[in-house]
Amino acid sequence: MSNILIQNIKGLVLSHDRKVSGLKMNDLPLIENAFLLIEEEKIKDFGEMKDSPERADEVIDATGKFVFPSWCDSHTHLVFAGSREGEFADRINGLSYEEIAERGGGILNSAQRLQKTSESELVEQALCRIEEVRGFGTGLIEIKSGYGLTVESELKMLRVIKKLKPQTDLTIKSTFLGAHTFPMEYRSNRKGYLDLIFNKMLPQIADEGLADYIDVFCEKVAFSPEETIEIMKAGAKYGLKPKIHTNQFNCMGGIQASVAHNAISVDHLEVVNAEEIEVLKKSETIATLLPSAPFFLNDHYPPARQLLDANLTVALATDFNPGSTPSGRMSFVLSLACVKMKMTPEEAINAATINGAAALEEDANFGSITRGKVANVFITKSMPSVAYLPYSFGSDLVERVILKGK
Ligand code: NIG
Ligand code: FE
């Protein structure tokens, strides 16, 4: 059996073993002057240096460095074709994200590009992005469909995600987001598109085992709460649990609908009202915040402090996509969480590790330094403290990545 021993770790960041909520998120378990022993794919042991084994197949000296559990990025749209910097310039010149969407840009722009791109080309582009986020310290990631918007292209996207899995040591979970927006030809026949999702997409997805979750973009420019409910119900018939895009621009009942249908998470939450916080308090649904989206759209940030004060479970993710967030850099998400949402570095790290894992129902296997969990960790460059990571927002502090013990 092969093993790796990391010694003299200045700070071994443990995170919590299971999801953590509210003010408890400010507690970040950490061992100073520590060792970490990895055996095969798993975390075998860890503790203070004085208790460290002496030998291993490979010994890494981490003097002055920190070791973190890999980031768990529970919300991305990492499979896409090309880029949309034209819309970036349009927004600089005064158009809003919603205006661009209404005139057929935005998601539809990406859908047009994706429909014309082959499966193998999409795999190639996505693998480059996966390689990039691996270097940023991400080890578990969710990827959504939603730039297909036809039966053929939604299936193509999900098959691409499936093909990525054996080609990377990141662990990937897949989400069906056929309900990302209405294709142009269905804008006056919304029911027609829903029927396509119900009768053509979902049965085939289930047949091929292509998705773990179902998502809907519940928003004025996309799907209503009533439509969202219908789609969640249809997904449930095939065992797909909901993770829902909601409250990005408007409070319109998306949180209430999602909670009523046992959503694993509600994602975005740039706008949330008191009633919605009450509804979340009575649920197990995780509030997943994506602050690099409002950063890039120059919009306002989710009220993270209110959510934490209400004792909710908050996760952080990138939302990596070509429109609202062309970045998969988790450390920047942490910096934004601290600066713009007043989360402490400790809260942000718990949110980006164990709570991200919980938002993918993987907190038994990922998201913390726990004996028996998958050995997904990164070693930083020399740094003085944990807070230094979100503080030095422009630096690349991830020096070495170990995923599944390799
Ligand atoms: O999470 N809000 C909806 N979906 C994505 C953006 C998609 C796009 O603009 O391409 C998001 O921000
Ligand atoms: Fe998203």
Side-chain angles (χ1 to χ4, degrees):
M1 247 190 276
S2 72
N3 57 16
I4 302 176
L5 176 63
I6 311 176
Q7 289 191 312
N8 302 313
I9 305 166
K10 183 178 168 80
L12 175 62
V13 175
L14 304 179
S15 295
H16 290 260
D17 287 350
R18 286 292 194 278
K19 75 172 182 183
V20 56
S21 308
L23 299 181
K24 283 205 200 84
M25 286 178 64
N26 197 32
D27 169 42
L28 181 68
L30 177 148
I31 303 175
E32 287 175 2
N33 194 22
F35 79 91
L36 174 67
L37 180 66
I38 292 167
E39 196 171 86
E40 298 286 319
E41 284 205 356
K42 297 283 173 67
I43 293 169
K44 175 77 175 168
D45 201 7
F46 60 88
E48 293 179 24
M49 262 313 284
K50 65 176 172 50
D51 301 320
S52 173
E54 280 169 18
R55 266 182 277 282
D57 298 329
E58 186 184 353
V59 179
I60 301 171
D61 178 51
T63 303
K65 301 169 181 181
F66 283 71
V67 173
F68 281 72
S70 297
W71 307 129
C72 300
D73 189 352
S74 63
H75 181 137
T76 86
H77 311 247
L78 176 149
V79 171
F80 56 87
S83 54
R84 290 192 349 231
E85 65 276 19
E87 293 175 7
F88 170 61
D90 290 342
R91 280 197 306 279
I92 293 167
N93 290 320
L95 282 180
S96 73
Y97 180 84
E98 286 162 297
E99 281 163 347
I100 292 169
E102 258 149 29
R103 62 171 203 190
I107 295 164
L108 290 178
N109 179 353
S110 282
Q112 262 181 10
R113 288 167 198 264
L114 187 131
Q115 286 160 10
K116 290 189 231 133
T117 307
S118 71
E119 214 170 288
S120 61
E121 170 64 23
L122 288 169
V123 168
E124 206 169 298
Q125 287 189 25
L127 281 175
C128 285
R129 293 178 201 122
I130 286 180
E131 201 44 44
E132 186 187 33
V133 303
R134 185 187 196 284
F136 294 156
T138 300
L140 169 67
I141 197 164
E142 182 247 25
I143 308 176
K144 300 173 192 294
S145 71
Y147 292 126
L149 307 182
T150 63
V151 178
E152 192 193 351
S153 291
E154 278 300 307
L155 289 167
K156 176 167 76 175
M157 276 193 87
L158 291 167
R159 288 180 189 133
V160 166
I161 300 170
K162 190 171 181 178
K163 284 197 172 148
L164 294 172
K165 292 184 185 183
Q167 296 191 60
T168 173
D169 49 10
L170 271 85
T171 301
I172 298 174
K173 297 208 97 173
S174 168
T175 299
F176 170 53
L177 175 56
H180 202 180
T181 192
F182 285 94
M184 267 309 176
E185 59 274 31
Y186 286 99
R187 294 239 153 150
S188 48
N189 174 22
R190 294 168 77 101
K191 172 129 191 346
Y193 189 60
L194 294 186
D195 284 342
L196 216 55
I197 292 177
F198 301 154
N199 303 325
K200 293 279 188 314
M201 296 183 191
L202 276 171
Q204 189 66 29
I205 289 164
D207 244 29
E208 294 181 42
L210 291 175
D212 301 301
Y213 298 104
I214 189 158
D215 191 351
V216 181
F217 185 19
C218 182
E219 189 49 68
K220 276 191 187 155
V221 289
F223 294 77
S224 70
E226 294 71 30
E227 289 162 340
T228 302
I229 289 170
E230 277 192 67
I231 296 161
M232 287 188 289
K233 280 186 178 164
K237 284 190 200 143
Y238 297 97
L240 302 179
K241 295 183 193 171
K243 288 169 66 67
I244 302 294
H245 277 79
T246 188
N247 291 57
Q248 183 175 7
F249 305 115
N250 298 284
C251 297
M252 45 189 269
I255 290 180
Q256 290 86 334
S258 303
V259 165
H261 291 82
N262 301 315
I264 300 296
S265 66
V266 282
D267 301 35
H268 271 289
L269 276 46
E270 278 87 330
V271 291
V272 197
N273 63 33
E275 181 197 326
E276 290 162 333
I277 290 180
E278 284 309 308
V279 168
L280 281 170
K281 270 166 92 170
K282 293 188 199 97
S283 79
E284 290 291 310
T285 303
I286 294 173
T288 298
L289 311 183
L290 315 162
S292 41
F295 165 77
F296 195 68
L297 299 180
N298 200 20
D299 204 343
H300 50 260
Y301 289 83
R305 285 265 50 100
Q306 280 181 45
L307 303 177
L308 291 166
D309 289 343
N311 202 34
L312 300 182
T313 309
V314 172
L316 287 168
T318 62
D319 199 16
F320 193 2
N321 75 72
S324 68
T325 327
S327 163
R329 188 190 279 275
M330 279 296 276
S331 62
F332 184 57
V333 169
L334 272 85
S335 298
L336 288 172
C338 296
V339 175
K340 297 293 188 182
M341 308 198 297
K342 301 273 179 272
M343 289 174 74
T344 64
E346 291 78 10
E347 288 167 342
I349 292 165
N350 279 314
T353 54
I354 191 62
N355 287 356
L360 294 173
E361 297 180 293
E362 288 288 351
D363 52 334
N365 304 312
F366 295 92
S368 67
I369 303 294
T370 303
R371 288 174 192 85
K373 280 197 183 182
V374 177
N376 275 11
V377 305
F378 64 84
I379 307 172
T380 68
K381 294 179 181 159
S382 284
M383 55 181 217
S385 67
V386 157
Y388 190 80
L389 191 130
Y391 155 86
S392 58
F393 72 91
S395 302
D396 257 322
L397 292 170
V398 177
E399 186 172 82
R400 183 163 174 176
V401 172
I402 298 176
L403 295 182
K404 296 182 179 159
K406 297 233 165 51

